Amino acid sequence: MVTDQPWIVRGRRQGVIDVAVTPESAGWRYSGLRVVSLAAGAEFMTELPGMEGLVLPLAGGATVRVETATDGGAATTFELTGRRDVFSAITDFAYLPSGSRVTLTAPEGGRIAVATARTDAVLPARYGAASLVAVEVRGAGAMTRQVNAYCMPGVFDAARLLVVEVLTPEGNWSSYPPHKHDETTSDECELEEIYYFEVARDGPAYHRVYRSRPDRIIDVCAEVRTGDVVLVPYGYHGPSMAAPGYDLYYLNVMAGPGERAWRVSFDPAHRWVMDTWQQIAPDPRVPLVPAVGSGSSSRVPDPPASGRSRRENG
């Protein structure tokens, strides 16, 4: 991988690894992500010392073999159906306990994400059906996007880890208005965030991050393509911009030191934009992919006329 700014990591394959972000490489404490591309029948083994994880197929299916010390080295195996690609369907997934050894196999080849969060808490290994994923339509007009909540409070239990994916149709903006979660208050929970991008037709997209206070310097306004990562240690982030002709996908991985919750504050300069959603219809192209089975699909209610925080993102 190549880094052209401190907070941008360009995807470059090294063996089977497309992306490797650890707390150490990011310069923070909790959030991590690996993306691997496997040929048919190939295996990838990794260990998670002091880290919980979530296996999320991006393309193709996967066999996940999990060994944990708490089970005396006994292995649990999950067969993940997966999906053709991130623009075609919602996928099933698997939760990995802290301290486990994991072997991933792609029977027909594929690309697999492993999102991680540092924790000493040990929860059981579990399978997550695609029907468990909560699907939400957020925003209105050219700000409409789809949020698929995989590992979120009230959806799927974890110690620290939060995982969602966002689908933005070509020409729309998401992660907008810009928001932040870089301090612990009644309005926010401190979270480190990873954005992993894929863009349809190998096209471009764009992402913005900027400072929320003078002593925290960050300034990102960058073109991103499939495999690229933007790290958000602090600051306002958004919009994520899908260029005309190119649908946009990103995977968000978050973790922090405190409560496992998703509370954000919006940039006061742009907070008013949310008030216009009450007069604008949502983009009829969204959701881009439907909820599966009993998975919920809903539109987030219109925001109140005032207030600076909200329990959402994307």
Side-chain angles (χ1 to χ4, degrees), residues 52-75:
E52 63 182 342
L54 201 79
V55 176
L56 195 76
L58 302 173
T63 299
V64 183
R65 187 175 187 270
V66 187
E67 301 172 61
T68 61
T70 56
D71 293 332

Side-chain angles (χ1 to χ4, degrees), residues 16 22 68 75 91 113 115 171 212 215 224 230 238 262-263 311-312:
V16 301
T22 66
T68 61
T91 185
S212 57
D215 61 329
V224 292
V230 173
W262 205 6
R263 294 197 300 270
R311 296 172 183 263
E312 64 173 64

Side-chain angles (χ1 to χ4, degrees), residues 48 50-57 64-68 76-78 80 92-102 114-129 150-152 156-163 260:
L48 301 177
M51 305 281 282
E52 63 182 342
L54 201 79
V55 176
L56 195 76
V64 183
R65 187 175 187 270
V66 187
E67 301 172 61
T68 61
T76 302
T77 300
F78 302 110
L80 303 185
D92 49 356
F93 57 98
Y95 175 82
L96 310 174
S98 177
S100 57
R101 174 181 294 180
V102 184
V114 182
T116 59
R118 179 166 284 152
T119 180
D120 292 327
V122 179
L123 281 66
R126 282 164 290 147
Y127 172 78
Y150 283 87
C151 186
M152 295 296 291
F156 193 85
D157 194 28
R160 294 189 188 275
L161 186 62
L162 304 172
V163 179
R260 183 177 179 254

Side-chain angles (χ1 to χ4, degrees), residues 285-305:
R285 296 175 295 174
V286 183
L288 290 179
V289 298
V292 176
S294 60
S296 61
S297 182
S298 63
R299 185 185 178 202
V300 169
D302 293 324

Side-chain angles (χ1 to χ4, degrees), residues 1-312:
M1 292 180 295
V2 177
T3 301
D4 57 3
Q5 292 187 36
W7 311 117
I8 303 175
V9 181
R10 302 293 181 184
R12 297 290 186 273
R13 182 171 298 180
Q14 297 179 347
V16 301
I17 299 174
D18 297 331
V19 171
V21 176
T22 66
E24 291 76 17
S25 70
W28 57 33
R29 297 169 60 193
Y30 298 102
S31 300
L33 175 68
R34 285 191 179 184
V35 176
V36 297
S37 291
L38 300 178
E43 292 186 350
F44 173 75
M45 192 276 287
T46 188
E47 296 184 352
L48 301 177
M51 305 281 282
E52 63 182 342
L54 201 79
V55 176
L56 195 76
L58 302 173
T63 299
V64 183
R65 187 175 187 270
V66 187
E67 301 172 61
T68 61
T70 56
D71 293 332
T76 302
T77 300
F78 302 110
E79 297 291 343
L80 303 185
T81 301
R83 52 189 166 182
R84 185 180 71 248
D85 57 52
V86 296
F87 298 104
S88 65
I90 292 167
T91 185
D92 49 356
F93 57 98
Y95 175 82
L96 310 174
S98 177
S100 57
R101 174 181 294 180
V102 184
T103 303
L104 304 177
T105 308
E108 299 180 5
R111 189 167 61 258
I112 305 164
V114 182
T116 59
R118 179 166 284 152
T119 180
D120 292 327
V122 179
L123 281 66
R126 282 164 290 147
Y127 172 78
S131 60
L132 294 177
V133 179
V135 177
E136 297 179 357
V137 175
R138 292 184 181 166
M143 295 168 282
T144 311
R145 61 276 201 179
Q146 174 178 349
V147 180
N148 301 330
Y150 283 87
C151 186
M152 295 296 291
V155 176
F156 193 85
D157 194 28
R160 294 189 188 275
L161 186 62
L162 304 172
V163 179
V164 301
E165 58 184 18
V166 179
L167 292 162
T168 309
E170 52 109 359
N172 281 15
W173 284 17
S174 55
S175 283
Y176 189 76
H179 57 277
K180 73 182 186 77
H181 38 71
D182 57 11
E183 56 185 331
T184 300
T185 68
S186 60
D187 295 325
E188 292 181 41
C189 280
E190 182 182 347
L191 296 168
E192 307 157 351
E193 185 165 16
I194 298 168
Y195 277 71
Y196 165 81
F197 295 93
E198 296 201 4
V199 187
R201 303 184 182 90
D202 295 322
Y206 301 88
H207 188 71
R208 179 80 171 113
V209 187
Y210 57 96
R211 70 175 71 185
S212 57
R213 65 190 206 198
D215 61 329
R216 288 186 163 179
I217 298 173
I218 188 168
D219 187 4
V220 175
C221 187
E223 178 181 304
V224 292
R225 291 178 176 266
T226 294
D228 289 343
V229 167
V230 173
L231 306 176
V232 184
Y234 43 73
Y236 289 112
H237 41 289
S240 295
M241 295 163 272
Y246 303 99
D247 291 340
L248 171 63
Y249 165 95
Y250 50 88
L251 178 67
N252 289 141
V253 180
M254 293 166 283
E259 178 187 3
R260 183 177 179 254
W262 205 6
R263 294 197 300 270
V264 306
S265 293
F266 294 92
D267 186 338
H270 305 292
R271 173 64 179 79
W272 66 270
V273 173
M274 297 178 70
D275 298 332
T276 69
W277 294 355
Q278 300 174 57
Q279 289 79 46
I280 305 173
D283 189 324
R285 296 175 295 174
V286 183
L288 290 179
V289 298
V292 176
S294 60
S296 61
S297 182
S298 63
R299 185 185 178 202
V300 169
D302 293 324
S306 62
R308 59 186 292 268
S309 68
R310 194 172 180 184
R311 296 172 183 263
E312 64 173 64

